[in-house]
Amino acid sequence: MRVYNTLTRKKEEFVPIVPGKVGFYICGPTVYNDIHIGNARTFLSFDVIRRYLEFLGYEVNYVQNLTDVDDKIIKRAAQEGISASELAKKYASAFTEVMTAVGVKKPSIQPRATEEIEQMIAMISELESKGHAYAVDGDVYFAVRSFSAYGELSGRDIEQLQSGARVDIDERKRDPLDFALWKAAKPGEPAWDSPWGQGRPGWHIECSAMSARYLGTPFDIHAGGDDLVFPHHENERAQSEACAQTKFANYWLHGGMLTIDSEKMSKSEGNFLLLKDVLTHVRPQALRLLMLQTHYRSTFDYSPERLNEAMASLERIETALRNLKWLLDNTAEVPTVPNDITDTNVSWTSDLLTQIERCREQFVKSMDDDFNTASAMAAIFDLVTAVNSSTKDGIRGDTHRMAVDDAAATIVELLAVLGVDLLATQDAYDFSPKITSELVKLAEELTGSLVNNDEAFAITAVLDTRARARAAKDWALADAIRDRLAELGLIIEDTAQGARVVRK
Ligand code: AMP
Ligand code: ZN
């Protein structure tokens, strides 16, 4: 597997420090409001990468912090009239809720900055004792010039940075590039005791302290959006390497930004869509398919049209899977001999088995090439097309049945590796309890007998009544049944194998 490393600016063979295990750190959100779909893109991209590593058999220790003390949190808490810690708790749970809703796997460890202050203080003290940090009036700064590799990660030249920084010279700093490790307390702000007096940590030190604590130094993968490369990751790296005097992270993975009308989606620009609002009308699987179409490192320009395309793709896969399930459930067992040994049946089967094999190979090859999800998706779509064409005249014998079953399972399995969970929709009859009870009521009304809260039985009863009505040319009753189902958000599909009920 090859991954693009921001530090070396090239694709490298991925070799973990401990065979079979991956230490993975991803910068988490600052919990001061609800996240937008730009933030979500970054978290979804790395969720897919984590899932793929797990699919390959790696045991991934996935650490994601929550920044729960920060200027923005303090300001917003004052506006909402609650304490900074209450505000952070509120948005931390909101974050967990939307991440669960889009199927992002829970981090293995999710440390909160305010619970890790002790480690941060220890690290700052060590930097101070090693001559990489200095205290001024209760603040502590990192001395950028004491770390010779500063600028390497972001590819910036320290002299150029210096001239850019001159405008904003803080007389107390030894060098304009120096950044805060610890900030002296201001009245009314959350503060902790430290060797430099009451105060709170700077943002960058959080990630250095938490990654060292939970993953050790060095660890394998450090990830985040590419807007964090400078200064956040440059500073994290400087602190961590200066402190441990060893490499910090072996591979730096950065995700591209989500833009809208070519502008970065951001809270401050006001051009954002909150993830929780989008999820009121977009299924998470569709949102994930949308994101998977673009390579994680490229910029992704969001548009409603692209979202519609993703919804249509989802529909296409689900329809195909529903058709397959229907065929598998409704084709009578065919004896293996002699039906199954005709030339055509054997070739139908072996063609499909070849397609399944090809799909798996193409999927792994694409993902092994710096997680090319668009190409991996194309492999899955090719298999959807292949199995559709293989079954257009139904299922031909038992070996064909097994191949069709395998194709459907492969599609579901590989999509799940990308975090698109179709298991819930694979079963056509899997309605909410409310819909089920309404269906049962309708069936009882139409048949005049009790249906015992059995969903499948109710559907069969409704469809049978409709079939009888149509046979008797009672179009009024047939239409009424269709309308009643439509009120429940269900439609009747007439297929070669008979009618069935599906979600709209
Ligand atoms: P923040 O809470 O601003 O630190 O952002 C949390 C995460 O979202 C970071 O990893 C950022 O890189 C990422 N992020 C912020 N804006 C965008 C965007 N427009 N597109 C993709 N990722 C973003
Ligand atoms: Zn970080």
Side-chain angles (χ1 to χ4, degrees):
M1 187 176 76
R2 290 163 67 76
V3 301
Y4 183 88
N5 188 349
T6 306
L7 182 62
T8 55
R9 286 162 193 79
K10 51 177 196 269
K11 279 189 205 170
E12 296 173 0
E13 192 57 35
F14 178 71
V15 185
I17 297 165
V18 180
K21 297 193 174 188
V22 179
F24 197 126
Y25 187 88
I26 172 167
C27 296
T30 303
V31 283
Y32 73 105
N33 56 16
D34 290 308
I35 65 161
H36 55 65
I37 58 170
N39 305 124
R41 181 190 184 204
T42 294
F43 301 133
L44 284 167
S45 295
F46 292 109
D47 178 63
V48 171
I49 290 176
R50 171 197 188 171
R51 284 168 182 268
Y52 184 65
L53 291 168
E54 289 175 345
F55 167 76
L56 292 181
Y58 288 110
E59 191 186 307
V60 183
N61 193 6
Y62 196 82
V63 181
Q64 179 179 50
N65 68 305
L66 287 176
T67 299
D68 61 351
V69 57
D70 154 278
D71 289 339
K72 287 180 279 201
I73 295 177
I74 295 167
K75 194 167 148 208
R76 178 83 185 242
Q79 285 164 357
E80 291 198 12
I82 53 179
S83 74
S85 92
E86 270 173 304
L87 183 102
K89 279 208 184 82
K90 171 172 148 187
Y91 287 108
S93 358
F95 176 67
T96 305
E97 203 171 298
V98 283
M99 286 292 100
T100 309
V102 285
V104 168
K105 287 186 76 171
K106 256 173 68 172
S108 323
I109 305 171
Q110 190 165 46
R112 289 167 191 245
T114 54
E115 289 165 13
E116 307 282 330
I117 305 283
E118 209 178 301
Q119 282 70 30
M120 297 182 214
I121 292 177
M123 195 170 212
I124 300 170
S125 299
E126 196 170 339
L127 285 168
E128 199 181 16
S129 69
K130 287 182 170 152
H132 291 291
Y134 56 93
V136 200
D137 313 331
D139 289 334
V140 184
Y141 292 98
F142 182 84
V144 166
R145 296 252 169 204
S146 74
F147 180 69
S148 62
Y150 194 83
E152 235 173 49
L153 178 67
S154 57
R156 282 166 209 239
D157 177 67
I158 197 161
E159 301 309 329
Q160 265 171 12
L161 282 172
Q162 175 106 47
S163 56
R166 265 178 220 286
V167 241
D168 176 29
I169 292 181
D170 176 347
E171 292 298 335
R172 301 172 321 137
K173 291 203 272 185
R174 292 186 193 158
D175 190 293
L177 290 180
D178 295 350
F179 57 87
L181 296 167
W182 187 260
K183 300 173 176 182
K186 295 198 191 103
E189 288 189 357
W192 288 262
D193 288 330
S194 84
W196 316 280
Q198 286 250 309
R200 62 188 165 95
W203 172 35
H204 316 301
I205 196 71
E206 268 182 39
C207 293
S208 287
M210 296 188 216
S211 56
R213 176 167 187 198
Y214 296 105
L215 297 171
T217 316
F219 58 91
D220 298 300
I221 297 179
H222 194 312
D226 66 14
D227 56 340
L228 298 186
V229 176
F230 189 87
H232 184 51
H233 290 167
E234 192 74 61
N235 291 354
E236 271 187 41
R237 176 172 184 256
Q239 298 159 163
S240 295
E241 297 200 352
C243 187
Q245 310 206 317
T246 161
K247 199 168 178 182
F248 176 40
N250 284 341
Y251 302 90
W252 288 87
L253 269 52
H254 288 104
M257 290 294 105
L258 183 141
T259 58
I260 190 160
D261 296 326
S262 304
E263 295 285 336
K264 177 185 170 190
M265 181 171 283
S266 78
K267 280 280 156 61
S268 51
E269 291 304 317
N271 61 348
F272 59 87
L273 294 168
L274 293 182
L275 176 58
K276 66 171 191 186
D277 293 342
V278 170
L279 288 177
T280 59
H281 59 281
V282 178
R283 290 168 55 206
Q285 293 96 329
L287 191 65
R288 295 189 77 125
L289 282 186
L290 172 72
M291 306 281 184
L292 290 168
Q293 300 297 342
T294 306
H295 189 265
Y296 79 96
R297 281 194 293 114
S298 306
T299 301
F300 169 67
D301 199 42
Y302 171 86
S303 71
E305 292 75 27
R306 293 186 75 171
L307 178 61
N308 286 338
E309 279 165 28
M311 295 209 253
S313 299
L314 178 63
E315 191 87 344
R316 195 177 138 229
I317 303 173
E318 289 186 331
T319 306
L321 287 172
R322 231 167 23 224
N323 287 338
L324 294 178
K325 184 169 172 16
W326 179 265
L327 275 178
L328 291 165
D329 288 351
N330 291 279
T331 308
E333 293 292 328
V334 187
T336 313
V337 183
N339 186 14
D340 212 31
I341 51 167
T342 59
D343 286 350
T344 42
N345 292 346
V346 171
S347 94
W348 276 107
T349 302
S350 67
D351 278 359
L352 189 54
L353 291 175
T354 308
Q355 295 282 356
I356 296 170
E357 196 60 24
R358 195 175 295 160
C359 168
R360 283 190 176 274
E361 272 169 23
Q362 179 65 28
F363 179 87
V364 169
K365 197 165 150 230
S366 309
M367 291 301 282
D368 274 354
D369 180 18
D370 195 29
F371 314 105
N372 188 342
T373 52
S375 164
M377 284 293 303
I380 299 175
F381 274 111
D382 285 348
L383 183 57
V384 172
T385 308
V387 70
N388 274 346
S389 99
S390 177
T391 52
K392 68 177 185 303
D393 295 319
I395 289 178
R396 302 138 183 268
D398 284 350
T399 54
H400 189 220
R401 166 191 291 275
M402 277 184 321
V404 170
D405 206 11
D406 189 9
T410 303
I411 295 167
V412 171
E413 181 202 341
L414 297 183
L415 281 169
V417 174
L418 302 178
V420 181
D421 180 8
L422 294 186
L423 276 182
T425 47
Q426 214 194 353
D427 195 346
Y429 303 158
D430 177 26
F431 302 127
S432 70
K434 184 168 177 290
I435 293 184
T436 302
S437 82
E438 291 292 319
L439 268 172
V440 167
K441 229 191 286 170
L442 176 62
E444 290 178 343
E445 204 181 300
L446 290 170
T447 60
S449 53
L450 284 178
V451 169
N452 275 337
N453 212 30
D454 181 329
E455 183 177 86
F457 191 86
I459 289 171
T460 310
V462 171
L463 289 177
D464 283 352
T465 312
R466 173 174 170 270
R468 274 199 302 277
R470 282 161 62 116
K473 301 204 169 8
D474 184 352
W475 306 121
L477 178 58
D479 288 352
I481 292 173
R482 187 198 56 210
D483 293 346
R484 290 282 296 274
L485 289 174
E487 282 167 25
L488 300 176
L490 304 175
I491 44 174
I492 301 174
E493 275 181 7
D494 287 299
T495 75
Q497 283 75 31
R500 64 187 179 199
V501 173
V502 295
R503 281 194 206 85
K504 234 185 241 170

